[in-house]
Amino acid sequence: MLRSPAAALLRRLAPRITGCSGEAGSSTRRTLPPYISSSSFLARFSSTPTSSPPPSSVGARDDEAEDDKLPGSSGDSGARLSISVDRAGLYSPPEHSHEPSSDSDLVKHLKSIINFRSGPISIAEYMEEVLTNPQSGYYMNRDVFGESGDFITSPEVSQMFGELIGVWAMCLWEQMGQPEKVNLIELGPGRGTLLADLLRGSAKFVNFTKALNINLVECSPTLQKVQYNTLKCEDESVGDEKRTVSKLCGAPVYWHASLEQVPSGFPTIIVAHEFFDALPIHQFQKGSRGWCEKMVDLAGDSSRFRFVLSPQPTASLIFLSKRCQWASPEELEKVEQIEVCPKAMEISEQIADRISSDGGGALIIDYGKNGIVSDSLQAIRKHKFVHILDDPGSADLSAYVDFAAIKHSAKDASDDISVHGPMTQSQLLGSLGINFRVEALMQNCDEKQAESLRTGYWRLVGDGEAPFWEGPDDQTPIGMGSRYLAMAIVNKKHGSPVPFE
């Protein structure tokens, strides 16, 4: 039975499909079957080194130079001078090759960092460079989402996902007392699909959409342009100033490189879907010397990258110590590796601080665990898993989200917030009314759209392979209803958010 007020809001959503974006042709997500064996990650990636031309062969020999007759000499009777030079000890460098290197700019950059430091870099630094390097980072200069990209996210699967997140946001707005102004913030908006479906679905709720200031936290200039188009944005003049407005609801839209840059002072609703999984992580491995950080180094011939263990303690051990304080001795006994994400801890604290001071709440949806994450780092290129160190910058890197660490970080930051969940994505969407929504949409669509709705529905809330699928085996829809988790952080004065009561 669907609960009020979510039920009341759901009934007013438009009973039609808006481009039903299910993509049945690809089933790969950013998720992995839990815990791929560590050997697949630690195995060295091999590549053929570029060979240099052989060095020139300058042997040790004596060169003799004979002068002509000295001044004043005449005929064979004149004195002759003989000079001998021994070149055996001179350095003979190999011939310089002017052939272009096969390394990408990002690979050259990573190698230069390692060479400059005369030692390895952390996996966190490797991830940060690979994903967000301003010139060559994976996210910075391309659209990586959808069937033509490298992976598909829930908003790209079906419009229902964004619509139901909109139901959650409107319910929270009502619990907040329907403030006249509210900051709606999305962290890592991708193409902007989730927010576009949220705004379309809430179009009938004029007081809600009129209250919105939309803030997108996005560091990629390319994706900012995609989001601008997805949200039907236009630039308009207001007095002497210009602002960007979404024609989907008339709300102003702003872009920021970080959450800290978003102006405070208004009640806040934050949505973070598949944002935390791309934040840089540190990996630690238990050994005879205790916990050692796993690092990225160059192989002996400098032609490829490899994983190594740090020979000495690293500064990031402080974050490992903090994470271990939140775990039980029994939990720590079971793991040989631990992943820690300091950036996730920091952002969780920022969210808690903002909600504490301004009011509001945050909804975090991602794949992960409600406990210590051991060895989950993965790379995806063109919907297939590849080696993490293979051609940096050409594949997405992500890791399981440690929801327990997010919870502890938020609670430690403020006593004025409460943390709810996590619950599975299937539970979240089911409680928000996805079953009723899919039935309403099925009544107003053709056969092709109905098939897309069925596969989209399964992907969002199902578990494993879809039992109804009759198409090609390699295109079987895979449900992510239990792999994705949802957690809410809210100001205590608003009570428990839907549907975490």
Side-chain angles (χ1 to χ4, degrees), residues 64-85:
E64 296 183 355
E66 289 190 353
D67 285 346
D68 287 336
K69 298 174 183 178
L70 293 175
S73 64
S74 59
D76 293 336
S77 60
R80 301 180 65 84
L81 179 64
S82 177
I83 301 176
S84 177
V85 180

Side-chain angles (χ1 to χ4, degrees), residues 247-454:
K247 292 304 178 181
L248 294 177
C249 65
V253 183
Y254 309 93
W255 279 267
H256 314 274
S258 68
L259 177 58
E260 291 178 304
Q261 295 180 5
V262 180
S264 59
F266 292 127
T268 298
I269 300 174
I270 299 173
V271 176
H273 173 259
E274 288 208 48
F275 170 77
F276 281 86
D277 67 296
L279 297 178
I281 63 162
H282 293 268
Q283 284 189 340
F284 298 91
Q285 184 169 314
K286 189 185 297 181
S288 58
R289 295 182 287 116
W291 288 102
C292 300
E293 184 165 7
K294 191 189 297 185
M295 315 283 279
V296 177
D297 200 0
L298 287 173
D301 58 3
S302 297
S303 66
R304 58 191 174 90
F305 298 101
R306 63 173 180 171
F307 288 119
V308 297
L309 292 180
S310 174
Q312 56 192 7
T314 58
S316 53
L317 280 170
I318 189 173
F319 298 106
L320 175 65
S321 176
K322 185 176 184 179
R323 180 60 187 90
C324 289
Q325 290 175 6
W326 296 330
S328 67
E330 294 76 20
E331 189 176 14
L332 293 173
E333 277 291 324
K334 296 177 182 178
V335 295
E336 296 296 321
Q337 296 188 66
I338 295 180
E339 291 178 353
V340 180
C341 185
K343 195 67 178 176
M345 297 178 184
E346 178 188 346
I347 293 176
S348 301
E349 293 169 359
Q350 292 174 6
I351 290 174
D353 287 338
R354 182 176 290 263
I355 291 172
S356 175
S357 60
D358 293 344
L363 181 64
I364 300 168
I365 305 173
D366 226 312
Y367 64 95
K369 288 185 61 180
N370 189 27
I372 284 179
V373 177
S374 182
D375 187 7
S376 70
L377 183 61
Q378 62 190 27
I380 295 178
R381 183 191 304 126
K382 297 299 180 184
H383 305 277
K384 295 181 179 180
F385 298 111
V386 297
H387 195 284
I388 298 162
L389 302 180
D390 177 12
D391 193 11
S394 67
D396 176 51
L397 299 180
S398 61
Y400 274 38
V401 174
D402 183 347
F403 279 88
I406 292 176
K407 179 178 182 178
H408 285 288
S409 298
K411 283 189 169 183
D412 288 353
S414 174
D415 294 329
D416 297 325
I417 59 95
S418 58
V419 182
H420 305 265
M423 64 171 56
T424 66
Q425 178 171 289
S426 178
Q427 292 171 321
L428 175 75
L429 298 181
S431 299
L432 291 174
I434 192 171
N435 293 333
F436 296 92
R437 184 58 178 154
V438 72
E439 289 177 4
L441 292 173
M442 290 284 278
Q443 297 174 7
N444 296 277
C445 63
D446 56 32
E447 185 175 343
K448 183 178 180 180
Q449 291 172 327
E451 179 65 21
S452 184
L453 277 172
R454 280 191 292 269

